[in-house]
């Protein structure tokens, strides 16, 4: 790979990452406003019900079986070689598969609607109300699948930024419409129908953009049986990854609603709204890096340069995660008090576990991204299968004994296992690098984050402003300065810091 291609990939990564962060911040702010108005005009119980629906929809999304990961991986090589015939065959195969998935989700959603009320403890709404509201949510998810293959092509082609802009515009339209309808009508069905339209609208716009930008990529190719076979045969390796993601992201609310009730779901989901909003930035950045790294690996194969890129990405992730973790620890409680009220604050043990789990889960994102870019699905399936069983077993066992902290602890134990196992698989197994040296680096990052949190908490304790909003602003400034300054002082001589600054300077120079 020449310098021009290297620079191009670097520019794509930075541009897509910056757009992704801006997109997620706006979406997160919109989510806070929407949640506040939802509580005021529709109620806490339906807020909890909405969170359970989101998890059940993730269950139906398992019909995807990870085919999207396989499609994107298959696209890297023909994109590098500019093989339009192969690209058309892969896209035709993806279209055929996703049309089938959309139909299956509609059928499964109808079947699940007859049982959904049994997954919720002490619901006061009648069965027909729960069933219809669930079916409205299902329809939006299912119909979106008929267009999603175009989205995967743009992702593989390093155009995450364009996708985020489209998603943001569609989100702004649907959020404004749902807020107005909520204030005017206070009707949950109308709220659900408008939100179901978001995925359809976003994917439809992307579908039209794809047709305009890439008219030479055909999806009506008849001879794509080989590509269909290649994609479906890879499922045995990507299905465990898909199941693991579902277990991590989507089973907690179902377990909590069944054992502890919807009120606890609403309490827990407020924190997860914040955490998932921040993690959403990491996932979007990860998607941008996956497509670029996938192409780099096809061009350069497995050499030390790729490992150095990974370490640079891991360092950048650490700086971002350290800042976010410290900010979460310092700002979360006063923010929730200001946002929706002090009665929505969880106990101290839950809060500590949430903070630690956020850090651990965020820190292993780079190695997860490299798994996808390198196509290491076969090696990962045993790790993800074990993590899925571990998460459910520990969460169910502990939630009965200690309540909400047990669910969080189950997720934390699983995340620690995944971080250790995947690091071993990639660092030692794939790159053949010194695992002890890598582990020492990760331990250093973790200890620096603890130090940054301690110093920031101490600095924040010196603030005695009574006005809650002004206090939040001052604490926000402290969080922006203290952890970032400490991390820079501790790492500015490292190779990874110099690499990050080199990429930033190149990007700024090209912009200039």
């Amino acid at each position: 790979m020449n310098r021009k291609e290297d620079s191009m990939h670097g520019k794509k990564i930075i541009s897509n990452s910056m757009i992704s962060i801006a997109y997620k911040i706006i979406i997160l702010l919109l989510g806070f406003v929407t949640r506040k108005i939802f509580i005021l005009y529709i109620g806490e119980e339906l807020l909890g019900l909405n969170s359970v629906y989101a998890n059940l929809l993730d269950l139906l999304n398992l019909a995807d079986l990870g085919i999207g990961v396989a499609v994107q991986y298959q696209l890297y090589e023909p994109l590098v070689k500019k093989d339009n015939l192969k690209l058309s065959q892969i896209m035709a195969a993806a279209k055929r598969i996703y049309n089938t998935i959309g139909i299956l989700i509609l059928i499964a959603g109808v079947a699940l609607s007859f049982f959904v009320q049994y997954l919720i403890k002490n619901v006061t709404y009648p069965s027909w109300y729960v069933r219809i509201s669930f079916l409205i949510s299902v329809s939006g998810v299912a119909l979106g699948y008929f267009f999603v293959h175009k989205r995967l092509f743009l992702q593989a082609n390093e155009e995450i930024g364009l996708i985020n802009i489209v998603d943001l515009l569609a989100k702004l339209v649907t959020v404004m419409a749902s807020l107005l309808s909520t204030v005017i009508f206070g009707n949950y069905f109308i709220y659900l129908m408008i939100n179901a339209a978001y995925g359809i609208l976003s994917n439809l716009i992307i579908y039209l953009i794809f047709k305009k930008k890439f008219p030479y990529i055909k999806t009506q190719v008849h001879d794509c049986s080989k590509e269909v076979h290649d994609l479906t045969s890879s499922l045995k390796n990507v299905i465990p990854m898909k199941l693991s993601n579902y277990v991590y992201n989507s089973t907690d609310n179902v377990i909590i609603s069944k054992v502890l009730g919807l009120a606890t779901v609403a309490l827990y989901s407020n924190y997860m709204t914040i955490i998932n909003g921040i993690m959403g930035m990491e996932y979007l950045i990860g998607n941008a890096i996956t497509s670029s790294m996938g192409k780099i690996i096809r061009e350069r194969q497995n050499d030390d340069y790729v490992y150095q890129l990974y370490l640079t990405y891991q360092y950048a992730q650490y700086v971002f995660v350290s800042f976010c973790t410290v900010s979460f620890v310092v700002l979360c409680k006063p923010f929730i008090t200001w946002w929706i009220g002090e009665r929505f604050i969880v106990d101290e043990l839950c809060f500590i576990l949430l903070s630690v789990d956020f850090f651990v889960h965020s820190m292993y994102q780079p190695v997860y991204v490299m798994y996808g870019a390198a196509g290491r699905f076969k090696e990962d399936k045993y790790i993800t299968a074990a993590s899925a069983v571990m998460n459910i077993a520990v969460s169910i066992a502990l939630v009965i004994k200690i309540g909400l902290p047990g669910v969080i602890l189950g997720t934390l134990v699983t995340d620690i296992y995944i971080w250790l196992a995947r690091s071993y698989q990639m660092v030692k197994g794939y790159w053949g690098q010194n695992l002890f040296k890598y582990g020492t680096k990760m331990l250093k990052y973790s200890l620096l984050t603890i130090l940054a949190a301690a110093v920031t908490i101490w600095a924040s304790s010196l603030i005695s402003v009574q006005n809650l909003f002004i206090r939040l602003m001052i604490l926000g400034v402290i969080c922006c300065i203290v952890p970032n300054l400490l991390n820079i002082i501790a790492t500015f001589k490292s190779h990874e810091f110099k690499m990050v600054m080199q990429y930033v300077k190149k990007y700024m120079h090209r912009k200039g």
Side-chain angles (χ1 to χ4, degrees):
M1 185 172 64
N2 58 42
R3 287 180 177 272
K4 183 178 179 181
E5 289 172 331
D6 183 16
S7 178
M8 181 185 68
H9 288 306
K11 182 183 176 183
K12 281 280 189 180
I13 289 173
I14 295 176
S15 297
N16 288 331
S17 298
M18 290 174 66
I19 294 173
S20 297
I21 290 173
Y23 160 78
K24 201 61 190 182
I25 289 173
I26 296 172
I27 293 296
L28 185 59
L29 294 175
L30 287 173
F32 290 143
V33 176
T34 303
R35 201 172 187 85
K36 176 74 171 181
I37 292 178
F38 193 107
I39 292 172
L40 290 174
Y41 290 91
I42 296 181
E44 292 176 35
E45 185 176 3
L46 285 179
L47 176 64
L49 188 65
N50 208 52
S51 299
V52 174
Y53 284 171
N55 288 170
L56 292 175
L57 292 176
D58 286 340
L59 173 62
L60 292 178
N61 275 325
L62 287 176
D64 172 275
L65 296 176
I67 199 71
V69 178
V71 170
Q72 194 167 330
Y73 177 72
Q74 293 285 347
L75 287 170
Y76 292 143
E77 186 171 341
L79 279 169
V80 170
K81 295 180 177 179
K82 296 180 172 56
D83 187 345
N84 293 334
L85 175 59
K86 185 66 174 178
L87 290 171
S88 297
Q89 290 171 330
I90 294 172
M91 291 298 291
K95 179 182 178 180
R96 185 180 300 179
I97 293 170
Y98 274 111
N99 286 349
T100 304
I101 290 173
I103 295 170
L104 290 175
I105 286 179
L106 278 174
I107 296 171
V110 172
L112 185 58
S113 68
F114 290 98
F115 304 96
V116 66
Q117 66 267 26
Y118 301 114
L119 298 174
I120 305 165
K121 183 180 180 182
N122 299 330
V123 62
T124 60
Y125 290 88
S127 297
W128 68 265
Y129 189 95
V130 174
R131 189 172 298 132
I132 292 175
S133 57
F134 178 68
L135 285 173
I136 294 171
S137 300
V138 168
S139 63
V141 172
L143 294 175
Y145 272 97
F146 293 98
F147 306 103
V148 76
H149 54 290
K150 304 293 195 300
R151 176 184 291 264
L152 292 173
F153 181 91
L154 294 179
Q155 287 180 354
N157 200 39
E158 302 180 85
E159 300 198 52
I160 300 292
L162 175 60
I163 294 173
N164 289 337
I165 291 171
V166 171
D167 286 345
L168 179 59
L169 293 175
K171 193 69 174 179
L172 287 171
V173 171
T174 52
V175 164
M176 293 304 297
S178 66
L179 289 179
L180 286 173
S181 69
T182 301
V183 173
I184 296 171
F185 303 109
N187 187 290
Y188 186 47
F189 287 168
I190 297 176
Y191 171 87
L192 287 175
M193 285 188 284
I194 293 173
N195 279 274
Y198 160 69
I200 301 171
L201 176 61
S202 176
N203 282 326
L204 181 59
I205 295 172
I206 287 174
Y207 172 82
L208 296 173
I209 291 174
F210 175 87
K211 289 191 70 175
K212 184 174 179 63
K213 287 192 68 173
F214 306 99
Y216 48 87
I217 306 297
K218 307 297 182 183
T219 58
Q220 303 299 328
V221 178
H222 296 293
D223 184 20
C224 62
S225 55
K226 180 182 181 300
E227 285 68 29
V228 171
H229 176 267
D230 290 344
L231 290 173
T232 54
S233 63
S234 66
L235 290 182
K236 63 180 182 292
N237 294 323
V238 296
I239 285 175
M241 184 185 296
K242 184 76 174 181
L243 287 171
S244 175
N245 288 339
Y246 170 75
V247 168
Y248 175 81
N249 293 303
S250 307
T251 55
D252 285 357
N253 281 339
V254 176
I255 293 171
I256 294 168
S257 73
K258 183 63 180 175
V259 179
L260 304 176
L262 287 178
T264 308
V265 174
L267 181 69
Y268 174 71
S269 64
N270 290 324
Y271 285 82
M272 292 312 297
T273 296
I274 299 172
I275 290 173
N276 288 336
I278 301 171
M279 285 186 177
M281 296 183 206
E282 299 168 12
Y283 297 151
L284 290 172
I285 294 170
N287 285 337
I289 292 174
T290 299
S291 54
S292 295
M293 290 302 298
K295 288 184 175 180
I296 290 172
I297 290 172
R298 296 308 170 284
E299 293 162 351
R300 298 190 65 134
Q301 299 305 314
N302 180 28
D303 61 8
D304 288 340
Y305 174 79
V306 176
Y307 180 63
Q308 288 303 319
L309 284 180
Y310 164 69
L311 290 181
T312 304
Y313 172 27
Q314 181 71 73
Y315 169 77
Q317 179 82 352
Y318 143 69
V319 173
F320 178 73
V321 170
S322 179
F323 161 66
C324 290
T325 302
V326 172
S327 298
F328 180 79
V329 169
V330 173
L331 298 176
C332 191
K333 290 182 181 179
F335 174 75
I336 286 183
T337 302
W338 172 78
W339 174 36
I340 49 179
E342 192 171 0
R343 63 194 179 95
F344 288 97
I345 298 293
V346 297
D347 62 55
E348 195 65 25
L349 177 59
C350 286
F351 184 69
I352 292 172
L353 291 173
L354 281 170
S355 303
V356 176
D357 182 63
F358 167 73
F359 175 80
V360 172
H361 185 80
S362 298
M363 282 297 288
Y364 80 62
Q365 283 307 299
V367 74
Y368 174 76
V369 166
M370 295 306 298
Y371 258 101
R376 301 276 289 178
F377 310 125
K378 182 177 180 180
E379 292 78 3
D380 191 48
K381 65 181 181 181
Y382 301 109
I383 296 174
T384 51
S387 69
V389 174
M390 184 186 303
N391 197 339
I392 292 178
V394 176
S395 294
I396 291 176
L398 293 181
V399 71
I400 296 171
K401 293 184 177 181
I402 60 176
L404 183 57
V407 178
I408 306 170
L409 191 58
T411 305
L412 174 58
V413 169
T414 304
D415 278 340
I416 292 173
Y417 160 74
I418 292 174
W419 191 10
L420 294 174
R422 280 182 172 158
S423 295
Y424 177 84
Q425 284 276 12
M426 289 301 292
V427 176
K428 181 72 173 178
Y430 184 63
W431 284 302
Q433 299 290 331
N434 188 311
L435 193 62
F436 178 78
K437 186 176 180 181
Y438 175 81
T440 302
K441 192 182 293 287
M442 296 304 102
L443 179 62
K444 174 186 175 182
Y445 291 163
S446 302
L447 293 176
L448 283 174
T449 301
I450 294 172
L451 175 63
V455 174
T456 308
I457 291 171
W458 170 79
S460 301
S461 68
L462 303 177
I463 306 301
S464 58
V465 177
Q466 296 301 313
N467 184 285
L468 191 55
F469 180 77
I470 296 176
R471 178 178 173 81
L472 267 173
M473 295 299 101
I474 296 173
L475 292 180
V477 173
I478 292 174
C479 289
C480 287
I481 295 173
V482 176
N484 290 318
L485 183 61
L486 285 174
N487 286 330
I488 290 173
I489 292 173
T491 62
F492 78 97
K493 290 184 178 181
S494 68
H495 177 71
E496 290 80 15
F497 177 83
K498 294 173 183 176
M499 285 283 288
V500 169
M501 295 308 298
Q502 182 180 339
Y503 275 110
V504 171
K505 287 177 182 178
K506 284 183 179 179
Y507 178 80
M508 297 304 294
H509 176 70
R510 288 177 63 87
K511 281 292 182 182

